[in-house]
Amino acid sequence: MSPQSLANEATTLFTLPDVVLRANAVMDSPKGTSHELVRVIEADAGLAARVLRLANSILYGYFGRVESLTHALAIVGHKALRDLVLASAAVKTFTNIPAEFVDMDTYWDNSITCGVLAQQIARRLRLAESDALFISGLLHGVGRLVFYARRPHEYRTAIHLARNGDTDLAIAERAVFGFTYAELGAALLSAWGLPRRLCLVVEYQLAPEQAPAHQKEAALLHLANEMAARLAPCVKTREQPEPLTPGLVAFAAKLGLGQDDLEQLQLATLAASLEIIEIIHPNATTIY
């Protein structure tokens, strides 16, 4: 078994909505036009409304009012609009995940917080196409959803190994499957036809220094994931996050971020994440 074979198996269970596939086809076509892209999105009224709400959110920080998809396209650009469509559709794509492994409301809270953090960090570092990092954070953990849905028995073994051996779950995944959730998630994103940059960032999030390209983005995603795990529960409860650990501060320093930067990023993310959760996953906005 390989990440690719399991991902190909999972594509029959986790299929992107037709509107996302059509939007990708228009954008990937040399003859595709902005008008065609808007028409594709407008065909799904619910999706169009969510995309407009995202375009008007703190995530994009446009100082005005985006009132049409054509305007949204002009403001955020083609690539960001595709990301908004994908983000809006992703939550509905992953269904029937065994509840014994994960609470999906908590999962999406964490994933959306990770996405917002990844975007905020990328902007702080002035990386090109920083908005695309939101999708890498949002989808960073989809490999685990594939494990839960397609290999639940084997995954119980991985959990048992991690608990009894007091080791990281990703290490246990490699022991049981030969690969981790990061590699599996990247394989699924590749099977969906998503950009290679996105796939590489997700694949190497656990070992950024090994990435053949986009090492800084992979390290950024690793940092965002670690921070989101501590920050996500605070988004709804409004509690203060726990103090940053020395290890986290040291890792961030390698990216050129100081402790003050991290604290400011936390505040910005707390302000933005609840709004994005309400848009992308509106059924999970109850305060804990």
Side-chain angles (χ1 to χ4, degrees):
M1 181 172 57
S2 68
Q4 290 72 28
S5 64
L6 186 50
N8 289 336
E9 178 184 324
T11 55
T12 62
L13 181 65
F14 303 128
T15 304
L16 288 178
D18 287 344
V19 64
V20 179
L21 300 177
R22 291 198 300 272
N24 278 337
V26 169
M27 291 188 61
D28 291 338
S29 170
K31 298 180 180 180
T33 66
S34 299
H35 181 64
E36 285 179 279
L37 180 58
V38 168
R39 277 191 358 199
V40 166
I41 300 170
E42 284 178 336
D44 186 322
L47 176 63
R50 289 194 300 276
V51 168
L52 277 177
R53 288 188 68 192
L54 283 170
N56 280 290
S57 71
I58 297 174
L59 197 67
Y60 287 89
Y62 173 65
F63 296 103
R65 182 69 188 169
V66 181
E67 296 182 345
S68 69
L69 289 174
T70 300
H71 191 193
L73 186 61
I75 295 299
V76 304
H78 281 77
K79 290 181 179 178
L81 189 64
R82 172 161 56 183
D83 288 346
L84 293 181
V85 171
L86 180 57
S88 298
V91 174
K92 295 181 180 295
T93 299
F94 295 95
T95 57
N96 301 318
I97 304 296
E100 69 173 286
F101 293 115
V102 63
D103 174 83
M104 289 304 294
D105 289 345
T106 301
Y107 173 85
W108 286 117
D109 286 354
N110 180 273
S111 296
I112 292 168
T113 302
C114 182
V116 173
L117 267 167
Q119 185 201 61
Q120 296 285 343
I121 296 169
R123 287 178 176 175
R124 180 67 58 113
L125 295 175
R126 295 183 172 83
L127 296 186
E129 297 184 20
S130 60
D131 290 341
L133 271 296
F134 171 70
I135 290 296
S136 74
L138 181 73
L139 300 178
H140 79 279
V142 296
R144 287 220 161 112
L145 300 184
V146 176
F147 277 141
Y148 302 154
R150 303 304 295 175
R151 294 294 185 273
H153 177 71
E154 293 91 333
Y155 208 80
R156 291 187 195 100
T157 302
I159 292 172
H160 179 76
L161 280 176
R163 287 176 178 169
N164 287 3
D166 192 26
T167 188
D168 188 83
L169 187 53
I171 294 174
E173 288 170 353
R174 189 173 295 283
V176 173
F177 298 100
F179 50 88
T180 70
Y181 78 92
E183 294 157 274
L184 179 54
L188 179 65
L189 301 184
S190 179
W192 280 349
L194 297 183
R196 182 172 181 269
R197 177 191 182 192
L198 171 61
C199 298
L200 280 175
V201 171
V202 170
E203 180 176 0
Y204 288 96
Q205 60 181 291
L206 300 177
E209 70 284 352
Q210 296 178 16
H214 308 300
Q215 289 186 358
K216 194 163 192 175
E217 289 91 337
L220 181 158
L221 179 57
H222 179 85
L223 175 62
N225 189 19
E226 292 293 319
M227 291 180 68
R230 305 162 60 81
L231 194 61
C234 305
V235 170
K236 291 179 179 176
T237 61
R238 303 295 187 180
E239 295 177 1
Q240 289 297 311
E242 297 177 12
L244 298 162
T245 65
L248 200 60
V249 173
F251 185 87
K254 296 177 183 178
L255 286 168
L257 296 169
Q259 184 161 341
D260 287 346
D261 292 310
L262 297 185
E263 291 172 353
Q264 290 170 21
L265 285 163
Q266 286 187 150
L267 290 175
T269 299
L270 285 171
S273 289
L274 186 58
E275 180 187 13
I276 307 306
I277 290 169
E278 289 174 344
I279 296 170
I280 294 179
H281 192 31
N283 295 330
T285 54
T286 303
I287 303 299
Y288 297 133

